[in-house]
Amino acid sequence: MFVGALELDLLLDDVHSLKQKRSLVRPVVAELRKRFTVSVAEAGHLDLHRRALIGVATVAAGGDHVRDVLDSCERFVASRPEFELLSARRRLLGPDD
């Protein structure tokens, strides 16, 4: 069994309130969950209106599949014009960890 985690640190364009931030982040979180069948949540920068930290996690039998899913999630978020992806950190735990 392999477990993968991905942290996406985002800068949001033209956002002036937490309400506007939620209106941008919630649909992306929902789409990640639906499209890639992963666990996902806004996990940081909750009190900052121009920053968001999205956490993504997945479990699979093979490490290659976990990497592919996390790569797809990162590309999906990076392609969104309303966000600037500042950093992406990933962790992979396998049977030897």
Side-chain angles (χ1 to χ4, degrees), residues 74-94:
E74 184 179 341
R75 279 193 305 272
F76 173 75
V77 173
S79 72
R80 302 294 293 234
E82 65 270 24
F83 301 131
E84 179 183 342
L85 182 59
L86 298 177
S87 68
R89 293 180 40 200
R90 65 178 66 210
R91 296 179 197 132
L92 182 65
L93 299 172

Side-chain angles (χ1 to χ4, degrees), residues 17-35:
S17 71
L18 292 174
K19 186 175 181 179
Q20 283 181 315
K21 174 186 173 178
R22 278 193 309 273
S23 73
L24 292 176
V25 173
R26 271 192 191 160
V28 171
V29 166
E31 185 65 23
L32 283 167
R33 188 175 292 126
K34 179 181 173 187
R35 183 181 289 200

